[in-house]
Amino acid sequence: MDHVFREFEWRRDKNPVLEFQKDMYELNFPGFRVTPAFLQGFARELREADRRSDEALFVLDKDGQVCGFLWLALIGTMTDPCVGFIKNIYVAPPERGQGLGRLLLEKADAWFLDRGVRKAQLTASTVNQLAIELYEKVGYETIRVRMEKSYW
Ligand SMILES: CC(C)(COP(=O)(O)OP(=O)(O)OC[C@H]1O[C@@H](n2cnc3c(N)ncnc32)[C@H](O)[C@@H]1OP(=O)(O)O)[C@@H](O)C(=O)NCCC(=O)NCCS
């Protein structure tokens, strides 16, 4: 059976989506360790997002198993009253490299365009060059760089 893109359902999808976050955060924030307290906070934010009309949660489902996640929001920025923001995009490791990340980004475009926004944004870590390459391929450009200097 093919991958099915569908709306997130709290009871059915909460646990697999929370399980994705260890890989997600530890990959993108080297040195960070996901703790039970972090996951509790994440679960609270997820629950709240699930009830809001300016946020949307979706999953990819393969044979009844959740293998991808997408969290979208409409946000205001310094220069734009409303842009589409990708808060979380994830494809489970065995399913990567088959175009599902690209598919999730297309679904994000469709959700944002339906709501009349003219721009989409996301943030990425420089350690995650594979994700950055994917974003560039579908049209994202770097507009701001966060810099860091280490003292030891
Ligand atoms: C980033 C992520 C969502 C991409 O998902 P994916 O399903 O592997 O992406 P796709 O299969 O659509 O790949 C799209 C592009 O990414 C690159 N890519 C993906 N997997 C690759 C691999 N194994 N080797 C080399 N390039 C790869 C290719 O450039 C590919 O381009 P193409 O479509 O022209 O071939 C996935 O790697 C992921 O979930 N990573 C962990 C979570 C994460 O870091 N999310 C992003 C936070 S900013």
Side-chain angles (χ1 to χ4, degrees), residues 5 56 58 69-74 83-89 100-117 119-122 135 138 140:
F5 178 79
F58 300 97
F69 175 59
L70 182 66
W71 183 346
L72 307 177
L74 301 176
V83 303
F85 194 80
I86 299 181
K87 292 182 80 166
N88 199 301
I89 177 167
L100 294 172
R102 194 181 273 265
L103 172 83
L104 290 177
L105 290 166
E106 285 167 8
K107 296 291 184 183
D109 288 339
W111 193 83
F112 294 146
L113 287 167
D114 271 358
R115 280 148 191 85
V117 301
K119 278 182 195 167
Q121 293 186 352
L122 51 79
Y135 302 146
V138 301
Y140 285 84

Side-chain angles (χ1 to χ4, degrees), residues 58-92:
F58 300 97
V59 293
L60 276 174
D61 191 308
K62 187 187 180 190
D63 301 331
Q65 295 269 60
V66 177
C67 64
F69 175 59
L70 182 66
W71 183 346
L72 307 177
L74 301 176
I75 63 162
T77 70
M78 306 268 281
T79 49
D80 296 278
C82 188
V83 303
F85 194 80
I86 299 181
K87 292 182 80 166
N88 199 301
I89 177 167
Y90 186 87
V91 174

Side-chain angles (χ1 to χ4, degrees), residues 24 28 89 91 96-99 101-102 128 130 134-135 137:
M24 175 74 173
N28 287 287
I89 177 167
V91 174
R96 289 182 193 160
Q98 305 171 42
R102 194 181 273 265
N128 201 347
L130 217 129
L134 168 58
Y135 302 146
K137 279 185 189 171

